[in-house]
Amino acid sequence: MAYLLLKSIHIFAAIAWVSGMLLDALLVGVSDQLRRLGPGLLLRSAAALVARWDRRCTVPAMVLVWIAGITLAIWGGWFNQPWFAGKLGAVILLTGLHGVLSGRLRQLAAGGDNEAGLLRSAPLIAACLVATAVTLVVLKPM
Amino acid sequence: MRITAALEGATLLILLLVAVPLKYLAGLSAATRVVGPVHGLAFVLYIWTLTRAAAGGLFTRGETIRLLVGAFVPFGGIFNERALARRARRLPVNREA
């Protein structure tokens, strides 16, 4: 029962983390187009709002995902299984991408004018990493 | 970020100086089983805050590499925390206060 409860917390936190991160990724991805529309006030305001959501909800959800995830992995004895190494790799990359997006968002909220560059593909990269993690944990292929 | 640097450094020292000797000298493998994941979490949190700060333009490439290397070296966390404290004191908002 306690294991399943922790698993539920992990899944709920993962949903909150990924949805918040996709919001970050979408805003950073369209920042160039928004900047071209006119004065940067719209982009700055939107970035400030999303950055606040990131700080108050998305980051705590990410921390909860890690705490619950590692506890579940120890509990289930998954650390020596190959599929878990793949899932952990995907989540580490997702965490790194979130860090980059969060930093860029803070820069946009402060009026920075850096181009999105490769981060235009951030929503797609995030979706692929989530799909990899979910597939590995559901199928447990190896 | 100073808090995460101190936490990462402290858990690494506890792991290396307390948990590992307890495991190999006293046969208490539970010590590394508990401290290992705690240090892992602290490490991820520190690297995340470093990535965010670097992506936000707060650090130069050299500073980022130095702060990253410090996370892998015993006692490096202490140097990282001190470096971040010095850096915070140099910020304009803190100089005015």
Side-chain angles (χ1 to χ4, degrees):
Chain A
M1 180 70 182
Y3 181 86
L4 291 176
L5 190 65
L6 190 62
K7 195 172 173 180
S8 308
I9 291 169
H10 181 66
I11 292 169
F12 170 72
I15 291 168
W17 177 31
V18 171
S19 55
M21 200 181 141
L22 282 174
L23 190 63
D24 296 357
L26 285 169
L27 186 65
V28 170
V30 299
S31 59
D32 294 343
Q33 287 99 309
L34 281 176
R35 202 177 285 116
R36 275 197 293 274
L37 280 177
L41 196 62
L42 174 69
L43 178 59
R44 278 184 71 172
S45 307
L49 277 172
V50 177
R52 196 189 312 158
W53 180 257
D54 186 72
R55 203 170 48 247
R56 291 184 182 172
C57 178
T58 314
V59 174
M62 179 193 73
V63 174
L64 193 56
V65 163
W66 271 97
I67 292 171
I70 287 193
T71 311
L72 285 170
I74 293 168
W75 207 329
W78 299 334
F79 269 106
N80 51 1
Q81 294 187 23
W83 68 266
F84 183 73
K87 191 205 173 197
L88 191 62
V91 177
I92 287 170
L93 289 176
L94 207 59
T95 304
L97 180 63
H98 182 205
V100 172
L101 288 169
S102 188
R104 189 58 72 89
L105 207 57
R106 201 160 63 171
Q107 214 173 26
L108 288 174
D113 57 357
N114 286 28
E115 295 230 332
L118 284 175
L119 289 177
R120 268 191 288 268
S121 312
L124 181 65
I125 297 168
C128 290
L129 288 169
V130 172
T132 306
V134 170
T135 307
L136 284 171
V137 79
V138 171
L139 297 182
K140 296 184 177 60
M142 293 162 279
Chain B
M1 191 170 174
R2 282 176 61 193
I3 294 168
T4 59
L7 196 66
E8 189 278 331
T11 53
L12 178 61
L13 289 179
I14 292 168
L15 182 67
L16 292 178
L17 302 178
V18 180
V20 172
L22 276 177
K23 180 182 178 180
Y24 290 104
L25 299 176
L28 278 172
S29 60
T32 51
R33 273 209 305 272
V34 172
V35 181
V38 171
H39 170 65
L41 280 173
F43 180 79
V44 166
L45 202 58
Y46 173 69
I47 295 297
W48 187 86
T49 53
L50 179 60
T51 308
R52 184 167 90 143
L58 291 182
F59 297 125
T60 63
R61 194 168 292 179
E63 285 172 326
T64 306
I65 291 171
R66 205 177 57 215
L67 289 166
L68 181 66
V69 170
F72 288 90
V73 183
F75 298 100
I78 297 167
F79 290 107
N80 278 346
E81 196 277 331
R82 291 291 83 204
L84 290 167
R86 280 196 299 277
R87 174 72 194 257
R89 278 198 295 271
R90 286 205 306 272
L91 289 174
V93 65
N94 289 341
R95 275 208 304 261
E96 283 164 17

